[in-house]
Amino acid sequence: MVSYGPGHQHTAERDVSTPSRWGPASDQLPSNLTELTGPTRGPVDLPLHLAWSGLRTFDLDDDKLLLGMYRIVLATGLHDDYIQFLNGDLLTSHWPRLRKMVGRGVRAAWEDAFPRLRPRTGQAAA
């Protein structure tokens, strides 16, 4: 094992139960996807703490904009942001595409917390 200092372990050798610094902490995730009661249609304005650079208004009737907004919220949001801006049904239906748009830590945190988001056998596990 390569050591870089006290408590550091090479990524490949890190215990799988160790959360990623690139994903949300488990206490930030909702306890159930039904808690995600965000909007399902129309324009949504994200606050500056989420969309601090570039586009802030997303029309959820446009799949490309919906996916972009969900990527931002999943990558930079916290518990209250998930509840306010994400919808459990939309997240579930778009997850096969979203999972490829978010980092490994975000993807792993959400799929570990909600196994139904994991790809079924035969689907690409990218």
Side-chain angles (χ1 to χ4, degrees), residues 3 23 26 30 47 62-63 71-72 80 95 97 101 114 118 125:
S3 180
S26 60
D62 179 326
D63 276 356
R71 182 189 57 76
I72 290 169
D80 290 345
W95 187 253
R97 289 177 61 197
M101 298 172 67
F114 307 105
R118 291 182 188 145

Side-chain angles (χ1 to χ4, degrees), residues 1-16 18 21 104:
M1 176 168 84
V2 177
S3 180
Y4 297 99
H8 179 83
Q9 291 180 326
H10 187 273
T11 304
E13 298 172 15
R14 184 178 38 188
D15 184 289
V16 267
T18 304
R21 76 173 107 182
R104 187 175 303 154

Side-chain angles (χ1 to χ4, degrees), residues 61-73:
D61 295 321
D62 179 326
D63 276 356
K64 183 177 177 182
L65 293 174
L66 179 143
L67 291 169
M69 185 192 93
Y70 271 54
R71 182 189 57 76
I72 290 169
V73 175

Side-chain angles (χ1 to χ4, degrees), residues 9-55:
Q9 291 180 326
H10 187 273
T11 304
E13 298 172 15
R14 184 178 38 188
D15 184 289
V16 267
S17 64
T18 304
S20 167
R21 76 173 107 182
W22 305 114
S26 60
D27 65 345
Q28 290 299 314
L29 296 177
S31 59
N32 193 305
L33 291 176
T34 59
E35 289 182 48
L36 303 177
T37 57
T40 59
R41 301 192 51 114
V44 175
D45 293 320
L46 290 182
L48 280 173
H49 75 272
L50 292 174
W52 48 269
S53 174
L55 186 64

